[in-house]
Amino acid sequence: MIGVEWGRTSFRAWRIGDDGSVRDLRASPRGLLSVPDVRFSDTLREELGRWIAGGEERILIAGPAWSLAGGAHGFRIVRPAPCPTPCGVAELAAALADVPFDWALVRLVPGVRDARSGCETLNGEETHLLGAAAAIGGTGTLCLPGPLSCWAQMEAGRIAVLSCHLTGETFAALRAALLGRPSREMLPDPAAFARGLALAQAPGGMLSHLARLRASAALPGATEGAQGAALAAQLLGLLVGAEVNAAMPPRGEIHMVGDSDHLALYAQAIRVLGGTALTPVPDTALAGLIALGAAARWD
């Protein structure tokens, strides 16, 4: 089987043996946003043609199902309905969507929707969450930072409760509006980030705190160089602090998931707010694809 994690800005694929071992891997910058004229089928054939020619007949894709569905040159499928919680590998494998592709059998992971809140995974986060389940013993709280951050309460290897937070995308939009776009991306300064965390705990509310940051940004030179980077870090700390406040269970042990550059900052926020951030679970996308591929019906 070939397992694919197809994100907005990157493409990763693994050639997986019947025993679950990785026989080969491939990575490229051909994310969904860079595919010309939404020619997903052509891109998939170009990226994986050598493996398909070598005998691989099954492809499992995790990624933004809403982007991969439809379009004149895209995969002509209706967006698959997300799997409602509680759900695990068995339920999600049964809900995989068939994708028309001449060279191989292709299935698409549909995502997960929380039955109570209605929030849902949008970019393949469900595959990471299920991939982390075995590593944590099946039960515990997971935190997956990203443009859409996901928190999941896992029970016996299944996603029991899911909460989603648009922290990353909100940060990008507010940073541009309040501070302008940076000349280059950099990891936030931990001290300035900590000031943002403290602000998130202060009385007054989110909108008042954002007004304070905008007033600081209006000062001469405030958005330039190190001062601008510090304000951006404070903004991120404010937003992440609000997210962790809302999502973390009291005195919770949180298993960190994924490979986001912000994992260390989320761990800092969890510790400051009274929780315990555990060592990040590695290779969760791959583990999730292996589990789902083994449970899927390919006939």
Side-chain angles (χ1 to χ4, degrees), residues 230-254:
L231 274 176
Q234 230 180 308
L235 172 62
L236 182 60
L238 171 63
L239 297 173
V240 171
E243 174 189 332
V244 174
N245 259 337
M248 186 176 69
R251 297 178 299 279
E253 285 194 343
I254 311 302

Side-chain angles (χ1 to χ4, degrees), residues 146-148 165-178 206 210 235-236 239:
L148 177 78
H165 306 262
L166 209 60
T167 305
E169 290 191 18
T170 301
F171 169 68
L174 288 176
R175 180 183 59 180
L178 300 180
M206 174 67 73
L210 288 173
L235 172 62
L236 182 60
L239 297 173

Side-chain angles (χ1 to χ4, degrees), residues 37-222:
D37 300 322
V38 294
R39 293 182 179 273
F40 300 128
S41 293
D42 292 344
T43 302
L44 195 66
R45 184 175 65 250
E46 291 162 7
E47 290 289 333
L48 304 179
R50 181 169 60 87
W51 291 352
I52 296 171
E56 297 295 345
E57 298 178 342
R58 301 171 177 178
I59 301 173
L60 180 60
I61 302 176
W66 52 269
S67 292
L68 289 165
H73 303 286
F75 296 126
R76 296 179 184 178
I77 59 173
V78 175
R79 179 189 171 183
C83 184
T85 57
C87 71
V89 168
E91 292 88 353
L92 206 60
L96 298 177
D98 294 328
V99 176
F101 184 66
D102 292 339
W103 286 39
L105 294 172
V106 179
R107 303 286 188 270
L108 178 63
V109 182
V112 170
R113 173 172 293 184
D114 186 83
R116 299 183 304 176
S117 68
C119 78
E120 65 183 56
T121 63
L122 297 174
N123 300 295
E125 296 92 352
E126 70 295 316
T127 306
H128 283 272
L129 296 173
L130 292 176
I136 69 167
T139 299
T141 302
L142 303 178
C143 172
L144 174 62
L148 177 78
S149 295
C150 289
W151 293 65
Q153 181 61 43
M154 309 295 294
E155 295 180 2
R158 304 168 80 217
I159 301 172
V161 179
L162 177 72
S163 67
C164 305
H165 306 262
L166 209 60
T167 305
E169 290 191 18
T170 301
F171 169 68
L174 288 176
R175 180 183 59 180
L178 300 180
L179 309 175
R181 297 196 177 277
S183 57
R184 62 187 180 91
E185 295 290 337
M186 61 181 68
L187 289 179
D189 170 32
F193 180 80
R195 291 195 293 273
L197 290 178
L199 188 59
Q201 313 313 308
M206 174 67 73
L207 296 180
S208 175
H209 300 328
L210 288 173
R212 288 173 58 184
L213 284 179
R214 185 177 71 171
S216 298
L219 297 174

